[in-house]
Amino acid sequence: MTPTERQPVRTALPVDLDEAAHRCLVAGFEGTTAVPDTLKRLIDRGLGGVILFTRNVRDAEQVRRLTDTLRALRPDLLVAIDNEGGGIGHLVAAGAPEVPGSYALGVVDDPDLTARCADALAGHLATLGITASYAPVADIQREAGNPIVRTRAFGTEPELVSRHLGAWIAATEARGVASCAKHFPGHGGTLTDSHHELAVDPRPYDELDLGPFRTAIAAGVPMLMSAHVVFPALDPNRPATLSRRILGDLLRHELDFDGVLVSDALEMKSIADLYGEAAGARIALAAGADQVIVAVADLAVSLECRDAVLEALRDGVLGEERVREAAGRVQRLVERYATPADEIAVWDEGAGLEAARRAVRVPPVGVRGAHVVDLFPAPHPALNWGGEDLLTEVLAIDPTATGTAVAGEPVDPAALVDVILAKAGEAPLVVATSDAGLYPWQARMRDELVARRPGVVRVATGLPEEGALCSYGRGRVNLRAVAEVLAGAR
C-alpha cells in the first residue's frame, strides 16, 4: 500500500457516497497486461473510468485483453482514450486506421467523408473494447500564434467547424462509442498551451467561439471536455475547468447541456502549478465538472485527488448533492457506452487517404530523386504528435530520393544547412516546415536553404504557408498525399 492509502479515515462516508465520489475520477496507469493493485482497489470502490495512452498499447490483441480484464473487475468501467486522428492518438501499434487531422477534413469540406473517417476510428475503438473517445476538437483555430489547436481544429470558421462536428459525433455514436467535444468554451484564441502554462483568451463574450459547442450539444454529444483557459469576459479569476460561472451558469443553464462534463488532465501546468492536482479535482467538481482526469501513470496522484474529494465531502466543503448529481450523469453515460460491441467491426480503410489526397489540391510536382528536408517540432508529450516524417513517405514511392528529417531544433542549424546542401548535391531540393511561424529555427533554416539553392520546392505540414504545397497536418496519410504529389505519382 502507498502512504496515501494507509492514512486513517477520520469519518467514514456512506458507501454509496464513497462510490459516487470515485465515479467522478478517471485515472491513467502503467502497464499493458496486469492491472496494478492500487487501480484494482480504486475500481472496486467505483472508479468511473480509465484513460489509455501509448504506454498501455503493444498490439490490438493485447489491448482487447487489457480492456476485457479491466471490465471483468467492474463491468460499468468506462475505458477511454484520446483519438483525434491526424497523428494525434495512441493506437498506432494496435493498427489504428490512418485518417488525416481535422484541418485537412475541413479543407475538403465533405461531411460525409468526415463521417467515414470518424466511423473508421470509432469502429477500431469498438473492436479494442474502448468505448469513449476524447474527440472531436470543437475549437476554432482563431489565433495565428496559438501553439496547441492549429490543425487539430476543423478550421477557422464556426459554420465549417460545426458541420464537421455534427458528422463526426453522429458517426461515432452509430458505433456505440461515446464522443467528447473539446475544449469548452474554446482553446483556439490563446497564445499559450495550457499543458505548459496558464492560457488566457482575452476576447469579449460576443467574440468567443461557443457556436460549435452549441452544435455539438444539439447533435447529442454525450461528453464535453473543459479547457484550462481563463476567459476574463466570463470569469476573470479561474480557468474554465474550475469556474462555476462557466460550467454552471453558461454550460448547464444557458447552453442546457446535461451530459458529462469531464476536465482536461489535471496534471497540466495551468492547473497543477497554480492549484495542485488535488485541489484542482475538488474545485472542478464543486464548479460543475462530473469527472476529472488524472492522466499520469503515477496512481499516487490519482489517490491524492480522490482523497481531496473525500476530505472535502466529510468537511462539507464539497456538497454531497453536487457529487451525487455528477455520479448520476456518469452512471447514465456508462449504461449507454460501457459495454463494447462483440461483432467484428468493418470500416472504410481508404477513407483517410482519400481525404488527405483531396486536401492537397495542386497538380503533381514531379521532383523524383529529390533531397527532402523535413523540419518539424519534437513530438508533443501529451499528444504523441509528430512521430511521422515526410522523408519516409517519399522514399516509399521514390527510392531514388534522399533526405534529412529534423525533429526539434538542432544544436547548430547553420552547420546543418551546410551538411544538407553537401548531401543534396545537384538533386532537386524539397524543404518542408511545420508551423515555421511558431518555430523560428525552422524559418531560418528554410530561408537559408532557399537563398542558397534557388528553385527549392517548399512544403508546409502544419497550417498553410504562402507559396508552399500544403498537407494541413502531419498524420501519416497527410504526408503520404504530399509525397505522391512530390513524386508525380498522382
Side-chain angles (χ1 to χ4, degrees):
M1 282 185 149
T2 68
T4 305
E5 290 178 292
R6 288 198 296 268
Q7 290 178 357
V9 176
R10 294 186 300 125
T11 304
L13 294 171
V15 173
D16 63 335
L17 182 57
D18 182 86
E19 180 173 329
H22 282 78
R23 277 278 180 218
C24 298
L25 179 66
V26 177
F29 64 99
E30 192 75 55
T32 58
T33 53
V35 178
D37 288 342
T38 299
L39 184 61
K40 288 180 180 178
R41 288 189 284 273
L42 283 169
I43 293 171
D44 185 60
R45 287 177 67 173
L47 183 71
V50 295
I51 179 170
L52 304 183
F53 282 88
T54 304
R55 63 182 177 243
N56 305 115
V57 177
R58 191 171 63 235
D59 57 53
E61 291 184 5
Q62 166 267 319
V63 174
R64 183 63 198 230
R65 287 195 300 270
L66 177 62
T67 60
D68 286 346
T69 298
L70 289 164
R71 223 168 255 111
L73 296 171
R74 190 176 186 98
D76 59 357
L77 181 72
L78 200 70
V79 182
I81 198 165
D82 283 316
N83 203 45
E84 299 174 23
I88 299 178
H90 301 274
L91 293 169
V92 172
E98 295 184 359
V99 304
S102 295
Y103 204 95
L105 293 173
V107 169
V108 177
D109 198 14
D110 180 347
D112 289 339
L113 184 55
T114 293
R116 287 162 56 198
C117 290
D119 173 75
L121 291 175
H124 183 242
L125 292 184
T127 67
L128 300 177
I130 300 171
T131 53
S133 173
Y134 294 132
V137 169
D139 305 322
I140 297 174
Q141 173 52 34
R142 285 292 193 192
E143 177 57 60
N146 182 285
I148 188 61
V149 173
R150 307 190 74 76
T151 59
R152 297 169 67 195
F154 286 108
T156 61
E157 298 298 329
E159 295 79 9
L160 172 70
V161 171
S162 294
R163 278 197 297 277
H164 293 274
L165 277 176
W168 186 293
I169 291 165
T172 305
E173 175 71 21
R175 287 288 188 176
V177 173
S179 57
C180 178
K182 60 187 184 184
H183 307 79
F184 181 81
H187 205 327
T190 72
L191 286 171
T192 51
D193 176 357
S194 56
H195 290 89
H196 303 311
E197 58 186 311
L198 182 66
V200 178
D201 187 331
R203 291 178 295 169
Y205 174 81
D206 59 0
E207 293 181 15
L208 298 180
D209 296 314
L210 299 177
F213 292 99
R214 294 182 191 274
T215 295
I217 293 168
V221 71
M223 289 190 289
L224 293 181
M225 180 181 288
S226 63
H228 298 333
V229 175
V230 174
F231 297 84
L234 299 173
D235 185 338
N237 299 314
R238 285 185 171 174
T241 296
L242 309 182
S243 170
R244 191 188 306 269
R245 294 183 190 175
I246 295 175
L247 302 188
D249 296 345
L250 177 60
L251 181 61
R252 298 301 186 189
H253 300 303
E254 183 177 332
L255 272 63
D256 198 27
F257 178 65
D258 195 38
V260 169
L261 188 285
V262 61
S263 78
D264 211 339
L266 293 179
E267 69 273 11
M268 292 165 62
K269 298 297 185 182
S270 49
I271 298 295
D273 284 359
L274 295 177
Y275 300 90
E277 295 93 335
R282 171 180 57 79
I283 299 169
L285 290 174
D290 300 307
Q291 284 191 315
V292 292
I293 296 176
V294 183
V296 291
D298 184 359
L299 285 164
V301 181
S302 291
L303 290 173
E304 290 169 3
C305 292
R306 186 277 310 271
D307 290 347
V309 171
L310 296 180
E311 185 78 6
L313 279 169
R314 284 191 292 267
D315 292 345
V317 174
L318 178 60
E320 175 181 334
E321 182 179 352
R322 168 79 273 274
V323 171
R324 291 189 186 278
E325 174 191 51
R329 288 198 183 103
V330 174
Q331 185 60 37
R332 291 194 294 273
L333 182 78
V334 298
E335 286 172 359
R336 286 177 60 188
Y337 299 103
T339 304
D342 291 329
E343 69 271 12
I344 297 174
V346 178
W347 55 84
D348 185 348
E349 294 279 2
L353 184 55
E354 178 187 339
R357 284 170 171 165
R358 287 174 60 183
V360 183
R361 298 171 172 175
V362 297
V365 175
V367 285
R368 295 185 72 85
H371 188 86
V372 178
V373 183
D374 190 13
L375 310 174
F376 57 101
H380 193 293
L383 304 177
N384 195 37
W385 183 11
E388 302 81 13
D389 68 82
L390 179 59
L391 176 60
T392 298
E393 298 304 321
V394 171
L395 286 171
I397 301 169
D398 177 13
T400 67
T402 57
T404 308
V406 184
E409 183 173 3
V411 175
D412 190 342
L416 182 55
V417 166
D418 291 336
V419 171
I420 288 169
L421 291 173
K423 288 172 62 177
E426 298 301 316
L429 191 62
V430 174
V431 179
T433 54
S434 179
D435 292 324
L438 294 182
Y439 304 98
W441 66 269
Q442 291 187 39
R444 288 193 296 268
M445 287 188 66
R446 177 200 63 203
D447 293 346
E448 181 68 13
L449 288 166
V450 168
R452 293 173 63 178
R453 276 290 304 272
V456 167
V457 176
R458 288 181 49 212
V459 176
T461 61
L463 290 179
E465 298 174 14
E466 187 175 356
L469 171 66
C470 299
S471 68
Y472 306 101
R474 289 198 62 87
R476 185 167 284 108
V477 286
N478 295 105
L479 300 178
R480 188 176 308 157
V482 167
E484 291 173 348
V485 172
L486 291 171
R490 67 177 180 90

